[in-house]
Amino acid sequence: MTHIPSPAEELRLLDAELRQLDARRSQLLARRGWLIATVEAARPRAQAQTAAAPSPGPEATPPRVQNVLLILGGTLLTIAALAFTLVGWGHLGIVGRSAVLGLITVAALAVPLVLTARGLRSTAEAVAGIGLALTVLDAYALHEVALSGVDGLGYSAVAAAVLAAVWTAYGPLPRTAELRLPLPSALAAAQLPLPLWALAADADAFGFAAALLATAGFNTAVALRVSGRPVRLTAVIGACGMGAGGVLTAGALSMAATGPSAAARAAALLVLAAAIALAAARRTPAVTVPVAGLLLVAALGGVPRVLLPTVWTVPVYLVCGLALLAVWRVPSVPEGVRRGFVMASGVVQAVAVVWAAQLLAVVLPGPLAWVASPWSGAPSDMRAAVTGELPWVTHMETAPLVLAAVAAVLAFAVHPWARPAALVLGWVAALMVPPVLELPYAVGLLTGLGVTVLAVLGALVVPGTAEESGTATPESRMAEEPGTAEEPSFLKGTVPPVPTPFVLAALAGLTSLHTAVLALATRTATLAVLTALTLLFAAAAVRAAHLAAPAALAYATALTCAIGAAADWEPQYTALLVLTVPVAAALLAARLPRAALPIEATGAAAALLAIGLTVLNPPMLALVLALCGVITAGTAIRPDRRAVGYASAVLFVLATWVRLAAWEVDMPEAYTLPVSIPALLVGALRRRRVPETSSWVAYGPGLAATLLPSLVAAWVDPHWTRPLLLGLAALSITLLGGGHQLQAPLLLGGAVLALDALHELAPYIVQVTDALPRWALPALAGLLLLALGATYEQRIRDVRRVRDALGRMS
């Protein structure tokens, strides 16, 4: 038979069919891989959503519920036992009452042994707490039944000691050693015996303080020897509480002591407290050692305090505080102890400086009272000179010694801030010495001048060292100062120090100002001191012009004013003498370009003072303004001060206007036009030669010289001719400025035109305003604001266009 199709054809068809199946299988496998990837990607999001919204769990964990129930149950049982002891006591006889309470106590103390053996530690803890509370009730019951005649405080002291011993013995038993409550409870009970015994024995405050400190020492020993956290925490709390009570009591006794015996007893208590604090330094030296140092200072200074006058109280304590610094030189002492003693000494010194600062609050601002009453007569002494309106602080005569001692200590320190601080404290001490010693007034002024001279010399001579700039290392400081111990690491600051010359310069300025104010008491002193200060700072300007030259010019200004007042000159004539200072400033600024700015600023201030002295005299004001214009014109010759020429032009114009006003000229144009026309021609020539010249430079001075005085005259002119001519001139200038795109003519002419028109329309505006009802103006203002608000963005764009247009003008 013939195969249909043939075998070859059938084989071809089978191969084609198999290829189609393979292709379909590849498609299905690719689809399967995509589905697996999609499912895997969606699984983390589902898990995240599940984690973000967890199912609500229990609000209280089983251990927490168990603890709450046990505590609540123990509390209720304790309350029931207390009620049974206090209220239901009469239903049983003495034997029955004692037997019942004793059996309950023994059972409560025995049950924890069984519970801990079964692993029920929390329940055993609660029952043990009930047993401990019942022992307290047993002690109370014993006193009420058998020992009612015994003193309550003494019995309480003995009972507390017995309970502490019983609980201490109960805690380490084989089965109760796992409990945390008995030993801390025993330690808490041990806080009471000594204080209660002291009260029962009618001990005085010294005995009570000793009992508190002894208890604190016992707690400290326990805290150092015991490793259990609950017991140690209880001991630390007890040591702090009892120690604080003992220290406060001993400190109060030391301050209230009036004789050596009481002071010595209080000092002994403070020494005991310091010994306890030092014993605790094994664990916490950063806290306890500084406290121990302060307690030693209080102890050592207490006895001399009662033997010396009140004025020596602070110096005595300061000496004791400075003695603590000797410990830093002893290498055998642990570093923590040395560091703590240094900190304690620093605290004592800081307190002493704050105490001495009370006197500074009188000495420093006190002389300002002479500003209100200068040359009213020399005071009797320096104390009277600084206490014109402030009361003197009593028992402060040793304040300079305190400050000097602290300054001496800081002078030998190697900290970058130590020497500037020492300089400041020494300066304050020097200011305090004359009023404290009640030196004569002249001696006090000489002292102030002497301190100023020393500060100036120091600022000129002392260089800025590496350690003051904060770049020195401890090794370099040790090399520079052999024989000095390295600075404690905790005192090494990161704030950059102030250089010593700068501190000295500041102190020189403050001292000179203080002395100058003190010198206002008499005419002779004022002139002498101001002359000396002027010469001193002028001489110092050779080395430090940027600081000394402005000070010299300032004191020269004050000296010229004082000379004018001493000569009984009127202020306008004194102003001419004051103008010598701006002249000197201009000359110095040209010779000292690096210090030109502060020198010129001081000269400008003196020029303003001269102008102020002549305000009430227009002719002299015009002269002073013209002289100031000459000075500024001379300054403008320098290439770096060309801009000062504008100020010179303004001053000359102002001088002209003031002169015209002083002459009561009613036609200023006759004087201003001859100046304005040449000025405008010069400006036009300059713009032809230098086209980029601003119109304000070329035409501003010439236009302002005539327009502004004419505007002032037009405002006071009752006729219409001048305002009309001024308005036409201003209109012409405005149109010319707009046509040629020049800012100065446009703005000056427009402003004068607007003000002139306002002056002419003012009477009619007043008439219209009187005719309108009172509500009309607020209504119009509201409508204007609404219109502006509605077109706010358009107005902003308009203003910007106007600004850009003006900016494009020359």
Side-chain angles (χ1 to χ4, degrees):
M1 297 180 60
T2 303
H3 290 279
I4 301 173
S6 64
E9 182 65 20
E10 185 176 0
L11 180 61
R12 186 183 64 79
L13 292 175
L14 289 175
D15 291 340
E17 190 71 24
L18 288 173
R19 284 194 298 270
Q20 291 178 0
L21 290 175
D22 289 340
R24 181 59 178 167
R25 185 175 183 275
S26 299
Q27 292 178 357
L28 293 176
L29 288 175
R31 181 64 179 174
R32 182 177 181 274
W34 181 83
L35 291 175
I36 291 175
T38 303
V39 171
E40 292 295 333
R43 186 174 299 169
R45 289 197 297 269
Q47 292 177 354
Q49 293 176 357
T50 304
S55 58
E59 296 182 357
T61 60
R64 183 175 298 178
V65 174
Q66 175 189 1
N67 293 334
V68 171
L69 293 178
L70 290 175
I71 294 173
L72 182 60
T75 303
L76 293 177
L77 287 176
T78 304
I79 294 174
L82 183 63
F84 172 74
T85 304
L86 298 178
V87 179
W89 196 249
H91 297 289
L92 298 174
I94 183 171
V95 178
R97 293 194 295 264
S98 303
V100 171
L101 194 57
L103 289 175
I104 294 175
T105 303
V106 172
L109 295 176
V111 168
L113 302 177
V114 179
L115 294 177
T116 53
R118 294 175 176 268
L120 302 176
R121 180 179 171 182
S122 299
T123 307
E125 200 83 55
V127 177
I130 297 173
L132 298 179
L134 289 176
T135 56
V136 179
L137 295 178
D138 288 335
Y140 171 76
L142 180 62
H143 179 268
E144 292 297 323
V145 172
L147 302 173
S148 58
V150 178
D151 178 59
L153 287 175
Y155 178 79
S156 298
V158 175
V162 172
L163 289 176
V166 171
W167 294 351
T168 303
Y170 178 74
L173 293 177
R175 294 297 183 185
T176 59
E178 302 177 7
L179 301 179
R180 293 178 295 180
L181 189 60
L183 291 180
S185 301
L187 188 57
Q191 310 300 311
L192 301 177
L194 288 179
L196 291 178
W197 173 81
L199 294 176
D202 292 332
D204 55 7
F206 292 96
F208 183 72
L212 292 177
L213 292 176
T215 306
F218 168 74
N219 290 323
T220 302
V222 172
L224 294 175
R225 298 181 61 87
V226 177
S227 58
R229 187 172 182 273
V231 178
R232 183 186 298 173
L233 181 60
T234 305
V236 169
I237 294 175
C240 294
M242 292 296 176
V247 167
L248 291 176
T249 305
L253 292 172
S254 178
M255 296 304 297
T258 56
S261 176
R265 294 168 63 189
L269 294 175
L270 292 173
V271 170
L272 175 60
I276 296 172
L278 286 177
R282 281 172 31 188
R283 294 291 178 88
T284 56
V287 178
T288 57
V289 176
V291 173
L294 294 175
L295 291 175
L296 287 176
V297 171
L300 297 176
V303 177
R305 183 189 64 82
V306 300
L307 300 176
L308 297 174
T310 305
V311 72
W312 292 100
T313 298
V314 175
V316 165
Y317 284 109
L318 177 61
V319 170
C320 297
L322 295 179
L324 296 178
L325 295 176
V327 180
W328 184 256
R329 303 282 184 171
V330 183
S332 59
V333 178
E335 183 180 358
V337 176
R338 292 188 293 158
R339 183 184 309 175
F341 276 12
V342 172
M343 292 181 63
S345 177
V347 172
V348 174
Q349 295 177 57
V351 172
V353 169
V354 171
W355 171 81
Q358 301 177 75
L359 190 58
L360 180 64
V362 176
V363 173
L364 200 58
L368 294 176
W370 295 107
V371 177
S373 56
W375 298 354
S376 57
S380 58
D381 52 48
M382 282 299 296
R383 182 174 297 184
V386 300
T387 56
E389 297 181 357
L390 297 175
W392 182 256
V393 184
T394 58
H395 304 301
M396 294 287 294
E397 286 74 13
T398 55
L401 291 177
V402 169
L403 295 176
V406 177
V409 173
L410 292 175
F412 289 98
V414 294
H415 191 273
W417 277 96
R419 290 179 181 176
L423 290 174
V424 173
L425 294 179
W427 170 75
V428 174
L431 287 185
M432 290 180 178
V433 168
V436 165
L437 299 181
E438 298 183 271
L439 297 178
Y441 175 67
V443 175
L445 292 180
L446 292 176
T447 302
L449 290 175
V451 173
T452 305
V453 171
L454 292 177
V456 170
L457 292 177
L460 297 177
V461 174
V462 176
T465 60
E467 70 177 38
E468 289 173 341
S469 61
T471 59
T473 61
E475 292 77 7
S476 64
R477 290 198 298 266
M478 290 286 291
E480 292 175 4
E481 300 183 10
T484 59
E486 184 182 353
E487 179 191 11
S489 58
F490 64 95
L491 291 178
K492 296 177 182 178
T494 57
V495 181
V498 180
T500 300
F502 180 81
V503 175
L504 289 170
L507 295 180
L510 291 175
T511 311
S512 63
L513 183 61
H514 181 265
T515 308
V517 175
L518 273 176
L520 292 175
T522 64
R523 178 182 304 179
T524 304
T526 301
L527 296 175
V529 168
L530 290 178
T531 301
L533 292 176
T534 302
L535 296 176
L536 172 64
F537 285 104
V542 178
R543 291 283 302 273
H546 60 291
L547 292 177
L553 292 173
Y555 285 116
T557 304
L559 178 61
T560 55
C561 293
I563 292 174
D568 292 330
W569 290 354
E570 295 183 5
Q572 61 269 20
Y573 300 110
T574 303
L576 296 177
L577 187 59
V578 172
L579 282 181
T580 57
V581 176
V583 173
L587 296 176
L588 279 176
R591 296 289 301 274
L592 303 171
R594 299 184 61 181
L597 185 59
I599 292 175
E600 289 172 347
T602 309
L608 290 176
L609 176 62
I611 293 173
L613 292 174
T614 58
V615 168
L616 300 180
N617 192 301
M620 290 299 296
L621 176 60
L623 177 60
V624 169
L625 288 172
L627 293 176
C628 291
V630 172
I631 297 172
T632 52
T635 304
I637 296 175
R638 294 164 48 194
D640 57 336
R641 290 293 185 268
R642 298 297 189 194
V644 182
Y646 298 110
S648 178
V650 171
L651 289 171
F652 281 129
V653 172
L654 289 176
T656 303
W657 293 346
V658 172
R659 174 55 63 183
L660 293 177
W663 285 341
E664 297 181 357
V665 173
D666 55 357
M667 292 190 64
E669 294 82 4
Y671 299 90
T672 58
L673 282 176
V675 176
S676 295
I677 293 174
L680 293 175
L681 292 176
V682 172
L685 291 175
R686 180 175 176 81
R687 279 186 61 84
R688 287 190 62 183
R689 294 181 179 180
V690 185
E692 61 270 15
T693 303
S694 171
S695 62
W696 290 102
V697 177
Y699 306 120
L703 293 175
T706 297
L707 288 178
L708 297 182
S710 298
L711 179 62
V712 174
W715 269 71
V716 297
D717 194 342
H719 305 289
W720 60 271
T721 306
R722 184 191 302 275
L724 177 61
L725 295 177
L726 179 61
L728 293 175
L731 177 61
S732 302
I733 293 172
T734 304
L735 295 177
L736 287 174
H740 293 278
Q741 295 186 348
L742 299 175
Q743 278 189 10
L746 178 64
L747 296 181
L748 283 175
V752 172
L753 179 61
L755 293 174
D756 185 62
L758 178 63
H759 171 264
E760 293 303 306
L761 295 176
Y764 304 101
I765 294 174
V766 171
Q767 293 178 4
V768 172
T769 303
D770 293 337
L772 289 175
R774 293 187 177 181
W775 54 264
L777 290 179
L780 292 175
L783 291 175
L784 177 61
L785 292 176
L786 288 176
L788 290 176
T791 59
Y792 180 76
E793 294 185 0
Q794 182 62 37
R795 300 287 80 76
I796 292 295
R797 288 194 292 269
D798 295 342
V799 170
R800 287 175 179 171
R801 282 198 294 269
V802 172
R803 182 193 63 187
D804 295 338
L806 288 175
R808 288 191 295 269
M809 294 182 179
S810 61

